[in-house]
Amino acid sequence: MSSVTIYDVAAKAGVSIKTVSRVMNNEPNVRPVMRERVLAAASELGYSPNLSARSLAGSRSFVIAVFVDAALTIDHWQSERGADYLSRIQLGATLVCRDAGYHLLIELIDHEGPQVRQEVAALLAALKPDGVILTPPSSDNAVVLELLDRAGTPYVRVGPERAEGLGPRVHMDDVAAAREMTDHLIGLGHKRIGFIVGEPRYGASQARRDGYLEAMRAKGLSVPEFWVRQGDFTFQSGLEQAKALLALPERPTAIFASNDDMALGAIAAIADAGLMTPGDVSVAGFDDSPSSRFSRPQLTTVRQPVAEMSSVAAKLLIERSRGGASTERPVDELLPFTLIHRASTAPPPR
Amino acid sequence: MSSVTIYDVAAKAGVSIKTVSRVMNNEPNVRPVMRERVLAAASELGYSPNLSARSLAGSRSFVIAVFVDAALTIDHWQSERGADYLSRIQLGATLVCRDAGYHLLIELIDHEGPQVRQEVAALLAALKPDGVILTPPSSDNAVVLELLDRAGTPYVRVGPERAEGLGPRVHMDDVAAAREMTDHLIGLGHKRIGFIVGEPRYGASQARRDGYLEAMRAKGLSVPEFWVRQGDFTFQSGLEQAKALLALPERPTAIFASNDDMALGAIAAIADAGLMTPGDVSVAGFDDSPSSRFSRPQLTTVRQPVAEMSSVAAKLLIERSRGGASTERPVDELLPFTLIHRASTAPPPR
DNA sequence: ACAAGGGCTGGCAGCGCTTTCAATCGAGGA
DNA sequence: TCCTCGATTGAAAGCGCTGCCAGCCCTTGT
């Protein structure tokens, strides 16, 4: 109940509270002897500085906030994608925060509607976080970015659609990833490769399609318009669009879906059509979601460095909150993806 | 940068800061006229009370912390289960917090090892959260519970193993759920029903097995020991244990796995054996994880009210932090589960 | 030997709020 | 009419810490 304060430690160590403060903050200009004595007293008393007091008195709050879209979370919280993506984001950030003595605050933001401005402003005013990690679609929300800038709160945009000039970002190269996966399929001998596009509201959807198209064209393969189908990241849409592809007179020998859920849908469609994966039709996904390993056959897919992105983001923010000013050039971290070759892709039937 | 303080609002409204404080906290004894005037001034200035200051001066921090096991998160963060469970926990709690003006803090706790005590103590001292939501295995960790009690921090245990007497809890009846699912299988005509137990460190594993055994015995069906296989909640273990079951001279006509991942493993094993689900062998799971809908056939499973549990937990904590003292009898909320009948269960082959 | 420049410590004034308690104003009761 | 009580307001005292600055000591330079 009655917790240990800095005064208690100071008294026990026989120093002033200012010295205790110095020790707790790892400031220089404290003799090792003093430091030891204070540390001993602190640990004996089980002292831990009060965050609110630190935040109120000083310029740091030791809090990193993560902005997550409310509608998205609620709509999609049952889908593989949402849950998985968010967990990974959190894992990366939480680990970094814990090690640095920071704390992670999750905030649901309602991006639709007119109250965003007020909501976010209130949040920033109340919390004064040392940094904010923006997940899509926050990463591209003009209002949010403006308020953050105006409040002077450092932030990092994770996986944003729009390019530089909008503040620090940590992302991966969706175009290259899709291109490489397409190259992989072409390398196996596929020439007729169908593509299922993701939910158009996500920038990643366009990027992945572009990568696919680039790779096809680079190899001189024509891409009839009806090979590129519009999905929405759900299993169901993958199922339907794959069915449509399979119904074509000259059906594709491979299907590349922009995420794993849709790829699983495609595998289901292939099975429903009495065909085999990858014997008759290869399937590639994107995300390396947990279920990509549970499917039969296991899915060839692209692993996104989601946890890594948020952990880099958290590190940047913490570093900055410690270091003080922004001495650096604009941050633009590009993290590597990985192609995961599993069993769902193989050479086309000859 | 320079934010709006209570003084600014007080000045603008022509009242004392105390009155502004009263209005912001919805305290009684403020004339409607004053209240209006203050509210107007506050909204014009875009004022939002500083959380740290409130927490430092007052007795509330407006922060609810969620304790999550670190090892679990890291080990299993790739598995369906971990990610899904956690997201749901967070969804429920975050929504409630947002509506109540509270904030959700995620804390990774390292339950193994000797430093738990110090780690948790430091956390509580630093944060002074108004409440803590304990997820398994925190829900049953003696050290954590003791520290929480000693610090006087209210908490709610979500889905704990051990029964009452250990503080408030919100949970579901795993035994009944497993019993009902088993009854469902028996009702379809199955008599030889194999069971795959989950990771033994989880209380839910025992509970579900017990429910299965109860149902079998209640119907007078004997359960040879080798029908009950030890898994560990992973797809792989489900696959292996199901293989073992299928290899039995008189193989079961149904397999009930204590979670969906293992159930998916069982479906894969059945397919590998050249058999059909549910034509030859029915499969039931537990969790209603996203991928339970993506499997072919779609999985019959039990939906746990995870988001509901955490949302109830958050509500209880917020209520208590507002209401003040603990006037109530020990909290013990039992939330209903739901059997989800999908395509993986059917009558046994005759 | 003396001044200048560090390294090390403590003092003190808040940070922006809530709490406690005192003060003021009316209305109802003796 | 005077007193009491409740409803309203405000003043002052911190909450536990950090930022700034003054003061001390000991080293170094000349």
Side-chain angles (χ1 to χ4, degrees):
Chain A
M1 222 55 268
S2 62
S3 38
V4 185
T5 73
I6 196 172
Y7 296 104
D8 303 324
V9 179
K12 178 146 195 151
V15 298
S16 75
I17 61 164
K18 184 63 237 202
T19 298
V20 177
S21 170
R22 285 201 180 87
V23 172
M24 299 314 289
N25 288 290
N26 266 310
E27 286 173 26
N29 300 340
V30 179
R31 275 182 308 160
V33 207
M34 288 285 109
R35 193 177 292 276
E36 287 311 317
R37 223 199 289 172
V38 169
L39 253 19
S43 101
E44 255 180 83
L45 294 172
Y47 169 71
S48 203
N50 179 300
L51 250 175
S52 301
R54 301 227 283 183
S55 155
L56 185 57
S59 51
R60 297 183 296 169
S61 68
F62 301 93
V63 164
I64 302 289
V66 179
F67 282 8
V68 172
D69 186 55
L72 213 73
T73 310
I74 299 170
D75 284 3
H76 291 273
W77 75 281
Q78 307 203 14
S79 84
E80 184 71 38
R81 181 170 208 289
D84 185 52
Y85 190 83
L86 267 189
S87 307
R88 295 205 212 178
I89 289 273
Q90 275 174 39
L91 177 71
T94 320
L95 284 174
V96 171
C97 282
R98 193 183 53 155
D99 291 346
Y102 278 65
H103 301 274
L104 233 222
L105 214 49
I106 307 296
E107 290 295 337
L108 246 45
I109 309 286
D110 227 326
H111 290 94
E112 319 282 327
Q115 79 305 344
V116 202
R117 166 161 254 107
Q118 201 241 315
E119 194 179 324
V120 174
L123 228 65
L124 294 178
L127 260 27
K128 301 211 173 307
D130 285 347
V132 176
I133 296 177
L134 298 175
T135 65
S138 266
S139 328
D140 285 296
N141 187 290
V143 176
V144 172
L145 293 174
E146 178 210 326
L147 288 170
L148 247 14
D149 278 330
R150 196 191 299 171
T153 307
Y155 57 90
V156 172
R157 305 185 301 142
V158 170
E161 309 178 11
R162 275 179 285 159
E164 52 276 25
L166 279 177
R169 61 172 181 164
V170 176
H171 59 136
M172 66 161 272
D173 192 340
D174 278 280
V175 177
R179 194 170 45 220
E180 287 191 22
M181 180 59 88
T182 309
D183 281 342
H184 163 65
L185 292 170
I186 296 174
L188 286 172
H190 294 277
K191 294 196 180 340
R192 297 199 303 279
I193 304 175
F195 187 83
I196 308 180
V197 188
E199 159 66 49
R201 287 192 309 155
Y202 290 82
S205 297
Q206 280 82 59
R208 293 172 194 176
R209 187 201 48 210
D210 291 348
Y212 156 77
L213 291 175
E214 278 180 22
M216 294 296 278
R217 283 175 189 146
K219 291 295 194 307
L221 296 170
S222 71
V223 180
E225 179 185 301
F226 46 81
W227 283 7
V228 180
R229 322 288 311 187
Q230 182 65 54
D232 62 4
F233 280 145
T234 64
F235 176 88
Q236 190 58 34
S237 75
L239 184 76
E240 287 162 9
Q241 297 309 321
K243 270 196 165 49
L245 285 169
L246 296 174
L248 292 174
E250 262 207 330
R251 68 159 187 262
T253 59
I255 297 177
F256 180 12
S258 351
N259 80 338
D260 286 347
D261 284 5
M262 295 195 299
L264 294 180
I267 290 184
I270 292 166
D272 287 355
L275 299 169
M276 299 290 290
T277 307
D280 299 305
V281 184
S282 286
V283 174
F286 205 114
D287 274 353
D288 190 29
S289 64
S291 53
S292 68
R293 275 184 302 276
F294 300 162
S295 71
R296 311 295 280 193
Q298 292 187 36
L299 201 57
T300 292
T301 185
V302 177
R303 179 181 174 283
Q304 297 194 70
V306 181
E308 289 85 342
M309 289 197 282
S310 74
S311 114
V312 167
K315 268 184 201 135
L316 286 169
L317 292 170
I318 290 173
E319 205 171 283
R320 161 133 192 211
S321 123
R322 279 182 172 151
S326 48
T327 37
E328 334 76 28
R329 61 300 174 253
V331 173
D332 195 300
E333 298 267 0
L334 188 64
L335 267 43
F337 53 86
T338 320
L339 255 58
I340 311 278
H341 298 289
R342 287 199 280 244
S344 67
T345 50
R350 109 241 78 64
Chain B
M1 220 57 273
S2 61
S3 39
V4 185
T5 72
I6 196 172
Y7 295 103
D8 303 324
V9 179
K12 177 146 194 146
V15 297
S16 77
I17 61 163
K18 180 61 233 195
T19 300
V20 177
S21 171
R22 284 202 181 86
V23 173
M24 300 313 290
N25 289 290
N26 268 309
E27 285 173 26
N29 300 341
V30 180
R31 275 180 309 158
V33 206
M34 287 285 108
R35 191 176 295 275
E36 286 312 317
R37 222 198 290 172
V38 169
L39 252 21
S43 102
E44 256 182 81
L45 294 172
Y47 168 71
S48 202
N50 178 300
L51 219 80
S52 299
R54 301 230 280 185
S55 156
L56 184 55
S59 49
R60 297 183 296 169
S61 67
F62 300 92
V63 164
I64 302 289
V66 180
F67 282 8
V68 173
D69 186 54
L72 212 74
T73 310
I74 300 170
D75 284 2
H76 291 273
W77 75 281
Q78 308 203 13
S79 84
E80 183 71 37
R81 181 170 209 287
D84 186 52
Y85 190 82
L86 267 188
S87 308
R88 296 203 211 179
I89 288 275
Q90 276 175 36
L91 177 72
T94 321
L95 284 174
V96 171
C97 281
R98 192 182 53 155
D99 291 346
Y102 277 65
H103 302 275
L104 234 219
L105 214 51
I106 307 296
E107 291 296 338
L108 245 48
I109 309 286
D110 227 326
H111 289 94
E112 319 282 326
Q115 78 305 344
V116 202
R117 165 162 254 106
Q118 202 240 315
E119 194 179 326
V120 173
L123 229 66
L124 294 179
L127 261 26
K128 301 214 175 304
D130 285 347
V132 176
I133 297 178
L134 299 174
T135 65
S138 265
S139 328
D140 285 296
N141 187 291
V143 176
V144 172
L145 292 174
E146 178 209 326
L147 288 170
L148 246 13
D149 278 332
R150 196 191 300 172
T153 307
Y155 58 89
V156 172
R157 306 185 300 143
V158 170
E161 310 178 10
R162 276 179 284 159
E164 53 276 28
L166 280 176
R169 62 172 180 166
V170 175
H171 59 136
M172 66 160 272
D173 192 340
D174 277 280
V175 177
R179 194 169 46 216
E180 285 190 22
M181 181 59 87
T182 309
D183 281 341
H184 162 66
L185 292 170
I186 296 174
L188 286 171
H190 293 279
K191 294 194 178 346
R192 298 197 304 279
I193 305 174
F195 187 83
I196 307 180
V197 187
E199 159 67 49
R201 287 193 309 155
Y202 290 81
S205 297
Q206 280 82 60
R208 293 172 194 176
R209 187 200 49 209
D210 291 348
Y212 155 77
L213 291 175
E214 279 180 22
M216 293 296 276
R217 284 177 189 146
K219 290 295 195 304
L221 296 169
S222 70
V223 180
E225 177 182 304
F226 46 83
W227 282 8
V228 180
R229 321 287 311 188
Q230 183 64 54
D232 62 5
F233 281 143
T234 65
F235 177 87
Q236 190 57 34
S237 73
L239 183 76
E240 288 162 9
Q241 297 309 320
K243 270 196 165 48
L245 285 169
L246 295 173
L248 293 175
E250 262 207 330
R251 69 159 187 261
T253 58
I255 296 177
F256 180 12
S258 356
N259 81 337
D260 286 347
D261 284 6
M262 296 196 298
L264 294 179
I267 289 183
I270 291 165
D272 287 355
L275 298 170
M276 301 289 291
T277 306
D280 298 305
V281 184
S282 286
V283 174
F286 205 112
D287 274 354
D288 191 30
S289 64
S291 55
S292 68
R293 275 184 303 276
F294 301 162
S295 71
R296 309 294 282 189
Q298 291 186 37
L299 201 57
T300 292
T301 186
V302 177
R303 179 181 173 283
Q304 298 193 69
V306 181
E308 290 84 344
M309 289 197 283
S310 75
S311 115
V312 166
K315 269 184 202 136
L316 286 169
L317 291 170
I318 290 173
E319 204 171 284
R320 160 131 193 211
S321 125
R322 280 184 171 148
S326 49
T327 36
E328 334 77 29
R329 56 316 169 239
V331 172
D332 194 299
E333 298 267 0
L334 188 65
L335 267 45
F337 55 85
T338 319
L339 255 58
I340 311 278
H341 297 290
R342 285 198 281 246
S344 67
T345 49
R350 107 247 79 65

